[in-house]
Amino acid sequence: MTNSQAQLEQLFELEKQLHTLLDDELYSQFQQQQVLFSDKINHLLDSQPEAQLIDNLEQLKKLDHAVQSLQMRADDCFKSLKEKSLLMQRNKNKIKAYK
């Protein structure tokens, strides 16, 4: 296994961990891990020669698809939290109005 393949395996593991954090609704940890995930992807792309990246093109495509899926899921969670927050704020305002 080459260095880039090992880095890709780590990225796929980290992507699974990010999904688990979303499942468990650990959003602050998700945000921290997301930054680390992004840094590791950038490091892989910047540190590997182009020929090595081409050799791992299929894995990179899978990673791209996984990142897009994770991004869509994170966006859905964000929208859901925002809606819950707005609903709670409305309920709070209603309670204040009744007092």
Side-chain angles (χ1 to χ4, degrees), residues 26-86:
L26 300 171
Y27 302 118
S28 61
Q29 289 178 3
F30 172 83
Q31 188 175 18
Q32 294 168 356
Q33 292 298 315
Q34 184 182 18
V35 170
L36 177 65
F37 184 60
S38 176
D39 289 345
K40 285 187 177 204
I41 289 174
N42 288 333
H43 176 71
L44 171 71
L45 296 175
D46 292 341
S47 67
Q48 299 298 316
E50 186 176 333
Q52 188 71 35
L53 293 174
I54 290 171
D55 289 343
N56 294 314
L57 192 58
E58 286 303 314
Q59 290 285 31
L60 290 170
K61 286 180 182 180
K62 288 180 185 177
L63 182 63
D64 180 51
H65 178 69
V67 168
Q68 289 176 9
S69 172
L70 183 63
Q71 184 64 48
M72 288 180 6
R73 193 157 172 236
D75 289 344
D76 289 344
C77 288
F78 172 75
K79 289 175 187 175
S80 175
L81 285 173
K82 190 172 183 177
E83 288 173 10
K84 287 179 185 177
S85 175
L86 289 172

Side-chain angles (χ1 to χ4, degrees), residues 17-27 29-30 33:
Q17 290 174 4
L18 288 168
H19 277 287
T20 302
L21 291 172
L22 285 178
D23 290 340
D24 297 340
E25 297 182 355
L26 300 171
Y27 302 118
Q29 289 178 3
F30 172 83
Q33 292 298 315

